[in-house]
Amino acid sequence: MVENESRMAEKKNATPKKRAPRKRAPKKEALVAPEPRSESELPRVPRGDLDRLLAGEFANPHEYLGAHRATVNGRAGVIVRALIPNAVRVECLLDDGEVYEMEREARGLTDLYSAFIPNATLPLAYRFIFTYADGATWNRGDPYRFLPTLGDVDLHLFNEGTHRELWKKLGAHARTEDGVQGASFAVWAPNARRVSVVGDFCGWDGRVFPMRVMGSSGVWELFLPDIDAGSLYKFEMLTKEGAIRVKTDPFAAKMEQSPGTASIVEREDAYEWGDTAWMKQRAAADPVHAPISIYEVHLGSWARVPEEDNRTLTYREIAPRLCEHVKRLGFTHVELMPVMEHPFYGSWGYQVSGYYAPSSRYGAPDDFRYFVDTMHQAGIGVLLDWVPAHFPKDDYALRRFDGTALYEHEDPRMGEHPDWGTLIFNYSRNEVRNFLVANALYWVDEFHADGLRVDAVASMLYLDYSRKAGQWLRNKHGGRENLDAIEFIKQFNEAMRLECPGAMTIAEESTAWPGVTTPVSDGGLGFTFKWNMGWMHDTLSYFAFNPIHRRYHQDQLTFAMLYEYSERFIMPLSHDEVVHLKGSLLSKMPGDEWQKLANLRLLLAYMFTRPGKKLMFMGTELAPYTEWNHDTSLDWHLRDNAAHAAMERYVTRLAHVYRETPALWREDASWDGFAWIDVADRDNSVVSYARRGGDSHAIVLLNLTPVPRERYRIGVPHSGTYTRVLSTDDREWGGSGFDAFESVNSDPSPFHGYDQSIEVNLPPLAALVLTPSR
């Protein structure tokens, strides 16, 4: 038995948390005696149903509990039944103040009480007063007098896998039913024999609030009066084998932090957004033809509070600080490593236990809304990492949710990930696909996220991903493709396209799978962008070479252009490249300190000037010596070092040049936007290319050695004056300042296939960006 199940088992016989009785209205009789009963006329619960009800195994408690029309001794009225353990007295309190004492009708694991109220009609408003042996009382409403909070259409769409707002129906929702405030609960557990809502409001006793199953949908539902926002709850399930499973809500909007694992009822629709202008322009945006530079962030380690035991910042604390920093740097978006609730901080968020809950380690859901709102009002987009590929084995969450492999596969060859020790979603189930697709829409709809970067897509596409022969099963055609996962990905991308115009979907996909960014209608997977992992690996490998050897590896630097337009790419220099003993980007660069910094500036310039959108991990602007550590803050103290402070100024200039130069981004996805000028000068390790965007263009030269190249000539597309808009060798960011010319005029000397050419002095380990003067 897991820890939380043990805790709840210990409380099975505990007295529920009591509430003060409602003040009773004046009445004619202090107490109405129970109506005399005739055994022949009293409505009875059939023996079989009664046994299951008392044993906590009845799937439709509303059939007998609550208020029902009845005739006793020839008199019409209503019979009210209550199921409650441990009480010594039960009373039914009507709205008019009359109190009916209820008699114990049957006894079992719990007790069944009933009272006949003559001349009463439905609907009937009433409450219960439970009295316990210690004299404590509990005054509460009756969950079993309310109609279902789910409709047939909702259930049909869910079972079909197409409910686009599923989070509004399943889970816990504070609401008012028939004028009574409380919370509705709904959970999918098709293989459970009984499901109960348990929480701090009932002593975590699963006998108190059994739920009803909604037909053949597998969904269980219950409305609980008097439940307030902030209440802790879980679902207790009786499995087919008779075991008890206590689970957090898969749709919980908020969850406890360790060691607690309960879900928390959260108030809804309370936040007032201030990003209307941003959301309006996003709906009409075209990210493919826009500048996109992404600053990747881990919220727990961007900055900390050393004076307070090195604690992390909250959503509201980090929002203005991160916003100011990113805006000053000039990046267009932040991308947050997963903020969905995760029990293990060291997973960085990639082992999610609460898919619908922003991590409460940083604050409440509305606090996260404030974070996004702050970014949007400053003109910064927010992308979220999303993990539909796998989930952890924590027993209080999705694993064997109703006692069976519900969200995962039963067969470990399909259901377990060998690398991460996690479980793989069963994409063949409509309800599982709906859970995930609705989750994607939820983050964009409820939190105004501007897109999702989907983690580990390659692991979803291939049945043999990271598996040896005999450890995987072929698909129905005999192949290695995961057909169900492919259909899920297409469904997800189509739902995002239709429901969230302007929002992006980004694939972290490391193989040569074709059509990742091709529209679904044309046979592709439908992503907006794909991470260019091949470019990243080849480029970092090239830059690790001593410059004297780079002439032999120039193809490694330029190879990515051979497949550049097979997809729409983002170039990532992400967290994955600066962890697990890989070192920081600065430490990967060869040479002495000056050369390392120069190489890093050159690497970033290459990324920002070649085709594709840009992603840079937080802290790169500080050029740290050590790799990223999720348990500490970024090395902000490096700002006190002149060379590292200069690097931050350089990154700021580079990002602004990128945004201000349409030729560097407008035609990223087309050969019209790029042309090599000279890719073959291996002896000098110099590469040059032109970027185009409409009528504008820019010239980029990369000198990849520490040897200056004087009077270096390249062809240019047009005659006239070319202005230097960026040199990575400027003294302002720690360069040598070699021949810091401002502009150069072309001359009619044909070169590199162009009628015009220019002659410049190339600084060492540096990039130049030139644009024609207007």
Side-chain angles (χ1 to χ4, degrees), residues 27 122 125 213 234 249 273 333 335 360 386 436 450 457 509 576 622 629 660 663 725 758:
K27 49 188 180 292
L122 298 178
V213 68
K234 285 191 175 187
D249 181 3
W273 289 92
H333 292 73
E335 179 182 312
S360 61
W386 186 53
L436 292 170
D450 299 297
V457 172
E509 205 287 308
D576 278 328
L622 303 173
N629 181 351
E660 295 163 4
V725 295
I758 58 174

Side-chain angles (χ1 to χ4, degrees), residues 162-173 233 249-255 263-271 273 275 279 282 315 338-341 352-360 363-369 372 376 382-387 433-452 488 491-493 495-500 503-505:
T162 59
H163 202 305
R164 296 285 173 83
E165 294 185 330
L166 188 59
W167 68 90
K168 295 182 178 180
K169 302 301 178 180
L170 298 188
H173 300 278
Y233 74 98
D249 181 3
F251 287 84
K254 187 178 180 182
M255 294 179 65
S263 305
I264 303 174
V265 178
E266 182 68 8
R267 62 176 183 164
E268 301 174 34
D269 301 323
Y271 187 80
W273 289 92
D275 64 348
M279 297 299 288
R282 189 191 79 184
Y315 293 124
V339 297
M340 301 80 188
E341 194 59 82
V352 179
S353 59
Y355 275 81
Y356 285 79
S359 179
S360 61
D366 278 354
D367 297 331
F368 183 60
R369 290 183 174 93
V372 177
H376 283 176
V382 179
L383 307 174
L384 304 180
D385 277 12
W386 186 53
V387 192
R433 290 199 309 273
N434 203 161
F435 170 79
L436 292 170
V437 172
N439 183 242
L441 299 176
Y442 167 79
W443 290 101
V444 178
D445 183 275
E446 293 287 337
F447 296 95
H448 292 196
D450 299 297
L452 300 175
F488 156 70
Q491 182 182 350
F492 149 70
N493 275 314
M496 288 285 288
R497 181 182 67 83
L498 294 171
E499 301 291 336
C500 312
M504 293 179 267
T505 62

Side-chain angles (χ1 to χ4, degrees), residues 577-584 587 624-629 635:
E577 313 322 314
V578 293
V579 290
H580 301 320
L581 303 180
K582 296 176 186 174
S584 67
S587 71
Y625 294 104
T626 58
E627 66 180 30
W628 170 55
N629 181 351
D635 293 333

Side-chain angles (χ1 to χ4, degrees), residues 665-688:
W665 46 262
R666 182 167 290 160
E667 298 296 336
D668 271 339
S670 167
W671 271 110
D672 293 337
F674 177 89
W676 289 114
I677 294 175
D678 186 4
V679 73
D681 189 3
R682 293 175 176 81
D683 289 340
N684 290 310
S685 294
V686 174
V687 172
S688 54

Side-chain angles (χ1 to χ4, degrees), residues 513-578:
W513 186 280
V516 173
T517 57
T518 299
V520 173
S521 58
D522 292 334
L525 296 181
F527 285 97
T528 314
F529 298 109
K530 170 183 171 175
W531 273 20
N532 195 336
M533 309 291 281
W535 170 85
M536 179 270 297
H537 285 296
D538 288 346
T539 301
L540 290 181
S541 177
Y542 174 86
F543 269 88
F545 287 119
N546 187 307
I548 199 171
H549 300 302
R550 286 178 176 171
R551 68 176 65 190
Y552 306 113
H553 303 280
Q554 190 150 308
D555 290 345
Q556 193 167 338
L557 184 72
T558 61
F559 175 72
M561 284 308 303
L562 292 178
Y563 59 85
E564 182 66 36
Y565 301 105
S566 63
E567 303 283 2
R568 295 188 296 269
F569 284 117
I570 290 175
M571 288 168 293
L573 293 175
S574 73
H575 68 277
D576 278 328
E577 313 322 314
V578 293

Side-chain angles (χ1 to χ4, degrees), residues 18 67 69 81 229 237 294 350 352 369 371 515 626 709 747:
K18 311 304 187 303
R69 292 186 182 90
R81 290 190 179 93
M237 303 177 200
I294 302 166
Y350 292 100
V352 179
R369 290 183 174 93
F371 174 92
T626 58
R709 305 297 179 185
D747 59 65

